[in-house]
Amino acid sequence: MTRAPAGGRIGRQRGGPSAAPKIPGAHAEPIEDTMETVERVERTEPEPVIALRAATATLGARPVLRGIDLTVHRGEVVALLGANGSGKSTAVRSVIGQVPLTGGSVALFGTELRRFRDWARVGYVPQRTTAAGGVPATVREVVSSGRLSRTKLGWPRRADRAAVDRAIELVGLADRAKDSVSALSGGQHQRVLIARALAAEPELLIMDEPMAGVDLASQGVLATTLREQVANGATVLLVLHELGPLEPLIDRAVVLRDGCVVHDGPPPEAVGQHALPGHDHVHPHAADEPLRTGLLT
Amino acid sequence: MEFLQFAFMQRALLAAVLVGVTAPAVGIYLVQRRQALMGDGIGHVAMTGVGLGFLLSTNPVWMATLVAVLGAIAMELIRSYGRTHGDIALALLFYGGMAGGVMLINLAPGGSNANLTSYLFGSLSTVSEGDIVSICLLAAFVVLVTLGLRRQLFAVSQDEEFARVTGLPVRALNLLVAVTAAVTVTVAMRVVGLLLVSALMVVPVAAAQQLARSFRATFVIAVLVGTGVTLAGTITSYYQDVPPGATIVLLAIAVFVLLTALAAPLARRRARAAAPPATEAQACDVAVPPAAAASGSSAGTGTDGDGVRV
Ligand SMILES: Nc1ncnc2c1ncn2[C@@H]1O[C@H](COP(=O)(O)OP(=O)(O)O)[C@@H](O)[C@H]1O
Ligand SMILES: [Mg+2]
């Protein structure tokens, strides 16, 4: 089997996210390969994709995470739910090393975060804040930067360009690839950010409120894209405000309140009125702010 | 084209072209990160370098480069660490650098504010052979970095957090941008002067943005505008007795105004061509209770709490 050079993991993404379902455990550590194939069959994995243990973090003087455990296994789709300010973004940002922990530990793919280098295996979709940088950039230019986790300081090759095109196609923006991102609607912009994360063909997707401020058409595209990723074996950690149209995909939900985990198990169906599908409440256009109402508020 | 016969004019034009290329090439990353005025700060700090150069009787260009690079690194560190008092720290750095320059140059034997003036506002006609060599070397470095690492620098300047999650050496790249900006300041110092350097980093980029939809096109147009105005300004100052630095900057601003005027109808046409299907642009057809409509009508658009549900 061919292996990617210098730590580049291959696995499922060889041949692209739209390729046939992956061969389980086809990644680059020979000794683990066989182990993992066996374990996968039994669905008990000693090496979770994300392992956040007893994590505490402070922002400013405020304790924002107060001892969180969050484990995501290979192939799982986990939703992180909670009110605004409950620490969801902080939790996922600590998983990818963007918030320093004051206590506890994080490991990705079994490697302690401090020593983790294999960033091409992780696709991150940040909570959307501002629409664009100070200079015009096309959809393709923004999505291409997602591929840097594979090309690093080198030049992109043909395979890299193809992966970028595929990612743009996956979110249905092929016809807008040459348009400036500032000309897009909020939902299309969110699709660009997701394509950017998919460009590296990651095994793990971490998305922070991908549905916030997204018009209905884009919500549909996003749900379809995510379904395909999951069908191809991706592991997903999703911060959501409410389960919404992604509900059928979700294996497990972790609910935060004031920086503590208050629920970890099947998606809560009865956490109150707000979680009901009829109460879905997403503005169709361009709400740049995360919504202020929803689950547990 | 008689001016090409003069060696000083050849040097001036070469220096002008190099500045026209390098200043926007770095400036685009500063504008992208919304640090458009960083070049100005570096220019202030570089004055201490010029003063030191005179005091120690070394080449002011190299001394200014050294001090500007140190200053730019300090600024980048202040930006990435300091939050609460970051701007105060920057102010201390800028004005300290400027005052230091004035002080040092007056301490230097035979130095006076007149010497400083040629660095503050540029002095193309006095660019020497040695200056040209330094300027060429420094410009080569700037071009190599800004073109060779454009994808990485684009990513870091567009979304720093995302860039970190791709595993790029973000801190090193940020420092590299700072160092490159500092080098550009000293390249441009003899042409437009330390006080106008920042204009040449920012204005061509701003002008290019009026036309461009992509980063690549912005880059290309900005460099063309930069080169065009530095050449035109230098030649103008040969025929008319006007200061080249100020001429160049005023020309750049004129190009900006011109392109902005041209771009407005262009953008309208583009918007119409790419008009989204009516669904996205249409006004609400949600039935609003009369009372709410009456109270909300003055506000125009709805806000988060206005009760519209989908
Ligand atoms: N940079 C920051 N400095 C200080 N406090 C912050 C910062 N970012 C977020 N917070 C606070 O941390 C808490 C958790 O924030 P966050 O993780 O973004 O919540 P969520 O994503 O669940 O809405 C909030 O109360 C917020 O005000
Ligand atoms: Mg959040």
Side-chain angles (χ1 to χ4, degrees), chain A residues 84 88-90 127 208-209 239 290:
Chain A
N84 273 316
K88 306 182 297 293
S89 294
T90 309
Q127 184 163 6
D208 198 343
E209 305 220 18
V239 173

